[in-house]
Amino acid sequence: MNGWLVAATLLLAGGLGPVVWGVASGPLERRVLAQNVGTSVVCLVLLLLAQAYTRTSYVDLALVLAVLGPAGTLVYARLLAEDLEGAPRHANALTVVVASLAAVVVVAMCLATGAGRATVKLVLIGALLVAGNVVASRALAGGFPTKGAADRD
């Protein structure tokens, strides 16, 4: 058992418990947000397991999940826009936590991997995770504010 496997186990145990609770209970906004966080946690666990077991195919799975996870959240946000309209807007702290965790895991893996194509793929996955979480949480919070929206309020 190495440190990467321990980190993956801790992240899976500590991250998936609240995600399952968030998906199983509470208002619709929390369920959709928990689904988005769940895909990010599983993506990071796959990256850590790829390093622990030296399996590059896990990195490819993480890349696919980094693309499809936030896209799924955006689909939910679009389909459930009317139901999410009156929901409170409070996903900022969770977005910062998930984005920070993604940055820490990706930087640690880049340092362990060294320069090369694998590092470029890891940076791409990290950028997709951070950008995907920011865009998906803003979509759940009602979208990005526009200049005209400030004048109407």
Side-chain angles (χ1 to χ4, degrees):
M1 182 174 259
N2 58 22
W4 298 106
L5 192 56
V6 170
T9 304
L10 290 175
L11 182 60
L12 190 64
L16 230 45
V19 165
V20 169
W21 175 77
V23 169
S25 65
L28 182 62
E29 180 194 47
R30 183 170 62 193
R31 291 177 187 205
V32 176
L33 186 63
Q35 176 265 334
N36 186 41
V37 171
T39 57
S40 298
V41 167
V42 171
C43 185
L44 293 174
V45 167
L46 282 171
L47 287 176
L48 291 169
L49 289 176
Q51 190 67 28
Y53 294 128
T54 61
R55 305 267 180 159
T56 57
S57 60
Y58 293 174
V59 176
D60 296 336
L61 288 173
L63 177 61
V64 170
L65 194 57
V67 171
L68 294 180
T73 303
L74 292 175
V75 168
Y76 279 126
R78 175 74 175 135
L79 292 175
L80 302 171
E82 293 175 3
D83 297 330
L84 293 171
E85 203 167 279
R89 320 262 192 249
H90 60 289
N92 293 337
L94 190 57
T95 302
V96 170
V97 168
V98 171
S100 301
L101 188 60
V104 167
V105 168
V106 168
V107 167
M109 287 195 58
C110 285
L111 292 174
T113 303
R117 287 191 310 180
T119 303
V120 173
K121 192 185 287 188
L122 289 172
V123 170
L124 176 66
I125 291 170
L128 285 171
L129 279 175
V130 171
N133 274 303
V134 169
V135 168
S137 69
R138 291 304 306 160
L140 291 174
F144 291 98
T146 60
K147 184 177 182 182
D151 296 336
R152 287 187 299 241
D153 292 337

